[in-house]
Amino acid sequence: MTQQEIEVFLAVVRTGSVSGAAQALYITQPAVSRHIRTLERELGCPLLVRGRGVRRVELTDQGRDFIQVAEKWRQVWQEAREVAGRDRARTLNVASVGSVSTYLLPPVFRAFLEETPGRALTFHNYHSQEAYGYVAEGLVDLALISDDMYHPQVETIPAFREPMVLVTGPGSPLPPKVHPAQLDPARELRLPWNPEYDLWHSFWFSGGAQPRAVLDQMSLLEDFFRWREGWADSWAIAPAMVAQALRARTGAEVRPLEEGPPDEIIYYLLGRRRKPELTRAFLACLDRELARRPQLESYLK
């Protein structure tokens, strides 16, 4: 099975005829038919219903099922060609937990790419445990995570810390500084930040208490605080950089907590296969961005 056979089949599907596929691909009709027959022999089943006087092709059941497979084949082929043409030595593969990628990394990425022409970047959102695995396998060069773990093939290094604060809807009647005992758990918008936060949360709030919503996406938290008419009394506990972004984007209010949870520490992960020059450049850009945010304390110096 070749890429050309896949492209010919998809052209026949797209144009609805052998002649249309031939015209689209700038080849002859016999060549189109030959590629389709070769593909059918390799698969061991007919893909097209053949009949005299039929101007538009009709797919067999197997042909209809094969469309999705052919699309996937073409996508994989394109990705393989991109890998072959990519200069891996100039590409930094980065991963991060969602809160950091949403509210901190965009200006870091921009600075990293603008400072030296020829640099490239790939990025994926991963939970902490996933990131450890990808870094160990060499698929990710550097990952920013919130749950530090032990992995024999991965080095875990503190990047920065930030306080956890209270976020409420605008006009909340809560005092300027809030104690956990003053919070109604039925109005909480809960996010799973890290194990230390979960322990603190279990201490102050009963395990049987049902929060208003449990969320795993930062954008959803923004939406909830925008629904002021119905959810003006909602509250959430979040890292300072998330809270400041929510205040700027939704008008939410931010308050410090008495006896609040431990500060969140974000770590970066490095594996055995390293790109020292690119890593140093990325961490320098990150450190500069942290310096612009007084609520965050950098460990990168």
Side-chain angles (χ1 to χ4, degrees):
M1 189 181 304
T2 66
Q3 179 65 14
Q4 189 173 19
E5 291 164 4
I6 294 295
E7 293 294 348
V8 168
F9 171 75
L10 290 175
V12 170
V13 172
R14 184 174 64 254
T15 62
S17 68
V18 170
S19 60
Q23 186 176 2
L25 297 174
Y26 299 99
I27 60 177
T28 65
Q29 293 186 40
V32 171
S33 298
R34 187 167 59 251
H35 283 300
I36 295 296
R37 286 195 298 271
T38 301
L39 187 57
E40 289 175 326
R41 284 198 300 271
E42 292 170 341
L43 294 173
C45 63
L47 299 175
L48 306 181
V49 177
R50 292 171 173 83
R52 291 189 177 183
V54 178
R55 305 190 70 173
R56 289 189 64 83
V57 299
E58 181 180 346
L59 297 175
T60 64
D61 290 341
Q62 296 95 328
R64 284 188 289 271
D65 291 341
F66 187 67
I67 293 175
Q68 187 174 7
V69 176
E71 293 283 5
K72 289 180 180 178
W73 179 288
R74 179 163 63 180
Q75 181 179 354
V76 169
W77 177 260
Q78 290 172 345
E79 291 176 356
R81 293 185 67 182
E82 290 173 5
V83 168
R86 186 183 301 153
D87 185 355
R88 293 183 58 84
R90 302 291 293 169
T91 301
L92 187 67
N93 302 294
V94 179
S96 172
V97 292
S99 60
V100 176
S101 64
T102 301
Y103 297 112
L104 179 64
L105 289 185
V108 178
F109 290 156
R110 179 174 179 176
F112 174 78
L113 293 173
E114 286 181 345
E115 288 181 2
T116 303
R119 283 180 186 164
L121 178 78
T122 66
F123 174 77
H124 293 281
N125 266 323
Y126 292 131
H127 293 297
S128 297
Q129 186 172 2
E130 294 177 301
Y132 271 93
Y134 286 119
V135 170
E137 293 170 11
L139 300 175
V140 168
D141 301 313
L142 183 150
L144 292 159
I145 57 97
S146 56
D147 301 353
D148 60 313
M149 309 170 189
Y150 171 74
H151 195 293
Q153 298 175 356
V154 177
E155 186 176 4
T156 304
I157 307 165
F160 65 92
R161 70 186 299 148
E162 58 182 327
M164 302 291 287
V165 296
L166 179 69
V167 185
T168 69
S172 171
L174 290 168
K177 193 170 187 178
V178 180
H179 191 276
Q182 297 172 286
L183 296 173
D184 180 358
R187 300 175 180 178
E188 180 184 13
L189 305 176
R190 172 110 190 257
L191 287 97
W193 296 112
N194 54 46
E196 293 78 15
Y197 173 77
D198 291 338
L199 287 173
W200 175 88
H201 192 279
S202 298
F203 178 82
W204 285 107
F205 304 106
S206 167
Q210 181 65 40
R212 176 164 282 163
V214 178
L215 309 174
D216 194 28
Q217 293 292 331
M218 300 300 106
S219 59
L220 290 178
L221 189 57
E222 292 184 21
D223 289 335
F224 268 79
F225 278 112
R226 287 192 181 99
W227 299 336
R228 298 175 186 175
E229 294 80 6
W231 309 107
D233 59 348
S234 295
W235 62 268
I237 296 174
M241 68 175 170
V242 175
Q244 297 302 325
L246 289 171
R247 178 162 60 185
R249 298 180 185 187
T250 71
E253 297 179 358
V254 180
R255 291 171 166 82
L257 283 162
E258 294 184 63
E259 299 189 58
D263 290 354
E264 179 177 65
I265 300 179
I266 298 297
Y267 303 84
Y268 67 94
L269 309 181
L270 298 175
R272 291 180 177 177
R273 303 174 189 174
R274 303 191 179 185
K275 297 175 181 175
E277 181 183 350
L278 292 179
T279 298
R280 283 195 299 269
F282 181 85
L283 292 176
C285 294
L286 175 59
D287 190 42
R288 289 199 301 272
E289 182 60 28
L290 293 172
R292 298 187 184 101
R293 307 188 185 209
Q295 71 272 28
L296 308 184
E297 180 185 354
S298 175
Y299 293 137
L300 297 176
K301 300 186 191 312

